[in-house]
Amino acid sequence: MESKQIASPVVCEVAYNEASLGQLERDLSGNREGELVFQYPTVYIVHAESKNELTAYVGETTDIRRRTAQHLDADSEHREDWKTLKKQQNAQMIVIGHEHFNKSLTLDIEDRLMLYLTGSRGVQHLNNRRTNPQGKYYPSDERNVIFSKIWRKLHQLNKTAFPVEEVIKDSALFKASPFHELTPEQQDARQLILERVATALQNQTVGQLILVEGEAGSGKTVLLSSMFYEMMQTLNSQGRPIVSEDETHLDAALLVNHDEQLKVYEQIMYKLEVASKKTDSVTKPTHFILQHTPEKPVDVVLVDEAHLLWTQGKQTYRGSNQLLDLLRRARVVIAVFDRNQIIATNGYWEHQLLDELERKARAQGNLVQLKHQLRVQAGPEVESWLDALIHKHQVLPIPQQDKRGYEIRVFDDPAEMQTAIKQKAKNQESGLSRMLATFDWPFVQNKRDKDGDYWNVRVGNWSMPWNKQLPLIGAKRHSHSAQLAWAEIPETIAEVGSTFTIQGFDLNYAGVIIGPSVKLRNGRIVFDAKFSCNPRAKNKRTLQDGRAADVSQELLQNELNVLLTRGVHGLYLYAVDAELQAALLKAQGTLSTLDMVAEQYADYGETESD
């Protein structure tokens, strides 16, 4: 339905007290706006700022006068959040009305506001005790248009708390928010997992594994975030809905072995006040293992990016397998896993052991598989092309007319691709776009290179610094950079991201430099570890039988998989290997540059990198 056919919402802001609300009612008396605010269902936001931090509460009601009185009186006596808001001198209330509001639509708008405000950097604390996903109803087909009209009016009231929609949607907090509407596949998975958790907790068993499998972009993180929020808010120690205030919440923890993703989860759960920095409910696996013993298992552990769990000891971890150690310390472990995203030898699983883990989960009814692609907004032709390149090692003709508008483009040189990515990043509609590369150039974390300069990705006369280096040289960064994921920091448009930086995150457009470790020989893609600078992929792995095995072929393929599946709307490519670059250009249909490329880089791929 077109936007112009749907009436504009009523959005009113008043001081958060009954007198101001009463004055608003008198001001609007006798007109349509007053009717929509005081006689129809409404959605409301109460917000206040203290110590430069904005706290907001989102709710919906069929009677805004009665609900406001309830919050100011009874709720402020029994709930700390409402007591704090009542005390704030600058507390304001925004009331939202619309002629098509009914109970289902107001619940949906409330949920969408929670989703957007989770992604707003201008809101530090966000309160709401439930998620309200609705099914089909009248007028559910108008929801998106009505919400956009509401958000634009909110933006006019407060641009910090309510930034433009495109900025919100690019936020890593938004993308991992527990308030996304789940797909039917995710809803089925959620229901199965909750049933299995309830059964395990009632039986008081320890070490039950629920394995959630899915390829990159299949919605695993959103499912996990949603379930953790629900468990921390509304489920008791039996895994059942809480029906009284006396019941104890689930003892649950959310773990991830990825610094950037952990930062996102911490901010979301702290903002929603279901976790705090004083607890270890959102942390890394090693910290959790050291803080808990098998004698006192927690109820549930949820592990995102479980393919990054360590399967051998490290300096900080003295065990031999983090997943097995977690199973000894929890009644239920929900592990989100993609074997095609294992990118380091210290997380490598021997195939027979991983197959056995999967068989056991399936036999217990604990295997959940997510098969729908939610990140890459492309048709089946693009998905097939990526699958052939990554897993079948074939360069097929690039689809030219994708039905969903996904763009695959091969560039003649990396400088040209860098320029295109910068243009995409400047465009508010295309938004978050960054350069990425296979780990084929030297990089040492927190150190400068031998010349005291950046570690650079270099191709011919072109170069760009590797990720997370600007502070080393004293470059200024955004004041909130420490809270942002790498790709969201404005200055990182001048850096190249690696698999270890970008794994688990989305970009609208990803510009990927495929380095010399990925070649084309005899018409097939091959992986050459001699040209990789990633010791975590090149080092041999000691297997259970004591043999030292070279698993680099598998890990380098997985590295390519991670990089090529980051783009939501587009993938830009440049290959250092002359034969692969020529094949990609041919697949694109740009043959005129083949001779130039072959001549310029003919010797590059045959010289081992530093």
Side-chain angles (χ1 to χ4, degrees):
M1 184 171 295
E2 293 185 10
S3 176
K4 65 181 180 180
Q5 295 177 322
I6 298 176
S8 182
V10 178
V11 178
C12 304
E13 185 173 34
V14 297
Y16 175 53
N17 56 63
E18 289 188 79
S20 295
L21 189 63
Q23 183 61 51
L24 177 66
E25 185 171 15
R26 288 190 291 275
D27 291 343
L28 299 180
S29 177
N31 64 35
R32 180 60 169 165
E33 289 187 351
E35 185 180 12
L36 294 177
V37 170
F38 292 99
Q39 297 182 36
Y40 275 61
T42 55
V43 180
Y44 60 94
I45 304 168
V46 179
H47 63 91
E49 187 171 348
S50 176
K51 297 178 181 179
N52 295 320
E53 291 192 344
L54 184 67
T55 297
Y57 181 95
V58 181
E60 59 80 36
T61 181
T62 56
D63 187 337
I64 190 63
R65 288 167 298 216
R66 180 183 57 79
R67 181 60 57 85
T68 303
Q70 176 186 334
H71 288 326
L72 287 166
D73 297 332
D75 289 344
S76 62
E77 293 293 326
H78 304 290
R79 283 177 47 176
E80 196 62 35
D81 50 355
W82 285 112
K83 185 184 298 185
T84 301
L85 284 169
K86 182 178 179 179
K87 290 180 179 178
Q88 294 296 328
Q89 299 267 330
N90 61 358
Q92 298 285 111
M93 181 167 68
I94 300 171
V95 186
I96 304 164
H98 193 276
E99 63 183 27
H100 288 174
F101 271 2
N102 55 30
K103 185 68 173 178
S104 292
L105 183 52
T106 55
L107 286 171
D108 254 358
I109 296 296
E110 176 189 25
D111 223 41
R112 186 69 65 90
L113 284 170
M114 288 295 293
L115 171 63
Y116 273 51
L117 291 174
T118 303
S120 169
R121 295 284 176 183
V123 176
Q124 288 73 42
H125 304 284
L126 184 58
N127 296 318
N128 184 291
R129 298 299 176 94
R130 64 185 179 220
T131 57
N132 312 299
Q134 303 296 300
K136 290 289 184 181
Y137 57 87
Y138 176 80
S140 61
D141 59 335
E142 298 179 0
R143 177 192 58 188
N144 292 342
V145 173
I146 292 174
F147 181 82
S148 289
K149 288 175 177 284
I150 290 170
W151 191 261
R152 284 195 290 272
K153 287 200 171 185
L154 292 173
H155 177 68
Q156 292 172 1
L157 288 176
N158 188 324
K159 292 179 173 57
T160 301
F162 309 104
V164 296
E165 284 192 74
E166 288 78 9
V167 171
I168 288 285
K169 290 178 179 179
D170 274 346
S171 165
L173 301 184
F174 172 86
K175 292 175 182 178
S177 170
F179 291 93
H180 282 282
E181 182 178 359
L182 301 183
T183 66
E185 182 180 57
Q186 289 171 319
Q187 290 172 354
D188 290 344
R190 169 191 167 277
Q191 186 60 38
L192 185 150
I193 292 170
L194 291 179
E195 290 174 357
R196 301 303 295 162
V197 166
T199 299
L201 295 182
Q202 287 175 344
N203 295 338
Q204 292 291 288
T205 57
V206 174
Q208 183 147 179
L209 174 66
I210 299 176
L211 199 59
V212 182
E213 293 184 339
E215 294 185 356
S218 57
K220 303 183 297 296
T221 292
V222 166
L223 174 63
L224 199 74
S225 176
S226 173
M227 296 198 63
F228 181 69
Y229 180 74
E230 183 171 2
M231 289 177 180
M232 295 294 282
Q233 285 284 86
T234 60
L235 298 183
N236 62 23
S237 57
Q238 296 296 307
R240 299 298 189 189
I242 289 176
V243 295
S244 74
E245 293 186 0
D246 297 331
E247 291 186 81
T248 303
H249 291 280
L250 273 179
D251 184 7
L254 176 58
L255 313 178
V256 63
N257 240 350
H258 190 292
D259 291 338
E260 297 289 309
Q261 194 69 28
L262 178 62
K263 187 190 303 183
V264 169
Y265 277 131
E266 285 176 338
Q267 290 179 68
I268 289 174
M269 298 309 164
Y270 295 164
K271 177 183 283 195
L272 297 175
E273 299 185 350
V274 298
S276 74
K277 296 179 181 179
K278 297 179 181 179
T279 69
D280 59 359
S281 55
V282 181
T283 187
K284 283 191 170 184
T286 294
H287 177 79
F288 179 88
I289 290 167
L290 293 175
Q291 295 298 314
H292 293 80
T293 65
E295 289 72 32
K296 293 183 178 180
V298 302
D299 292 326
V300 181
V301 165
L302 302 93
V303 187
D304 198 9
E305 308 280 347
H307 37 268
L308 300 181
L309 289 173
W310 300 337
T311 56
Q312 64 181 26
K314 294 184 69 173
Q315 288 182 336
T316 55
Y317 171 64
R318 300 301 182 183
S320 60
N321 188 301
Q322 287 185 324
L323 180 56
L324 298 184
D325 281 340
L326 293 174
L327 287 167
R328 297 184 187 103
R329 289 164 171 79
R331 301 198 181 282
V332 183
V333 173
I334 303 168
V336 169
F337 201 96
D338 178 6
R339 63 173 71 202
N340 292 321
Q341 290 196 65
I342 298 172
I343 57 174
T345 51
N346 65 357
Y348 181 77
W349 284 79
E350 295 178 50
H351 288 195
Q352 66 271 23
L353 296 178
L354 197 52
D355 291 343
E356 178 58 31
L357 199 70
E358 186 178 286
R359 280 195 295 269
K360 184 177 180 181
R362 181 181 284 109
Q364 295 175 339
N366 289 348
L367 179 63
V368 176
Q369 293 178 309
L370 300 177
K371 299 180 179 179
H372 291 91
Q373 174 58 243
L374 301 178
R375 175 187 294 137
V376 178
Q377 299 296 299
E381 296 85 1
V382 167
E383 292 183 24
S384 296
W385 187 85
L386 288 170
D387 180 68
L389 183 71
I390 298 165
H391 302 295
K392 299 174 183 175
H393 307 160
Q394 300 173 330
V395 181
L396 300 180
I398 295 173
Q400 298 299 313
Q401 298 292 331
D402 181 69
K403 293 179 180 178
R404 303 182 70 182
Y406 191 88
E407 181 185 11
I408 299 177
R409 184 178 171 191
V410 184
F411 286 80
D412 290 332
D413 65 75
E416 183 186 354
M417 184 166 74
Q418 179 187 7
T419 299
I421 286 294
K422 281 185 175 181
Q423 289 300 318
K424 288 294 184 184
K426 288 180 181 178
N427 187 323
Q428 200 170 76
E429 291 186 5
S430 53
L432 199 62
S433 303
R434 290 294 184 270
M435 294 282 283
L436 309 173
T438 54
F439 200 157
D440 293 348
W441 292 266
F443 174 70
V444 180
Q445 185 76 38
N446 298 323
K447 290 185 179 180
R448 300 185 185 185
D449 73 2
K450 60 185 179 181
D451 298 320
D453 198 359
Y454 298 120
W455 300 101
N456 281 283
V457 175
R458 298 183 185 276
V459 179
N461 295 323
W462 176 89
S463 67
M464 271 185 80
W466 270 121
N467 42 214
K468 293 189 170 183
Q469 291 189 89
L470 297 183
L472 288 177
I473 315 298
K476 292 183 179 180
R477 281 197 167 181
H478 193 278
S479 59
H480 298 301
S481 290
Q483 300 176 358
L484 299 174
W486 172 82
E488 293 181 279
I489 300 171
E491 293 81 3
T492 60
I493 190 63
E495 293 183 326
V496 179
S498 71
T499 46
F500 299 105
T501 305
I502 203 65
Q503 189 170 28
F505 292 91
D506 296 351
L507 295 168
N508 286 334
Y509 286 81
V512 180
I513 298 175
I514 303 175
S517 69
V518 187
K519 309 178 186 301
L520 190 78
R521 296 295 181 266
N522 300 316
R524 303 277 297 178
I525 288 176
V526 296
F527 299 94
D528 190 343
K530 295 194 303 294
F531 294 91
S532 172
C533 293
N534 180 7
R536 286 188 266 183
K538 294 172 63 172
N539 292 344
K540 290 189 175 181
R541 171 60 192 259
T542 302
L543 304 182
Q544 278 201 324
D545 61 9
R547 289 184 299 115
D550 180 356
V551 297
S552 62
Q553 296 293 300
E554 187 175 340
L555 299 183
L556 292 176
Q557 175 179 291
N558 290 349
E559 179 182 0
L560 186 65
N561 175 51
V562 169
L563 295 176
L564 298 191
T565 54
R566 294 306 101 191
V568 174
H569 300 299
L571 171 64
Y572 292 171
L573 293 170
Y574 174 83
V576 167
D577 178 70
E579 288 190 41
L580 179 55
Q581 174 70 356
L584 289 169
L585 288 168
K586 181 179 179 181
Q588 180 175 252
T590 51
L591 299 175
S592 60
T593 57
L594 291 183
D595 293 338
M596 179 189 70
V597 171
E599 180 180 349
Q600 186 176 0
Y601 296 109
D603 296 330
Y604 189 94
E606 303 305 327
T607 303
E608 187 169 345
S609 60
D610 294 336

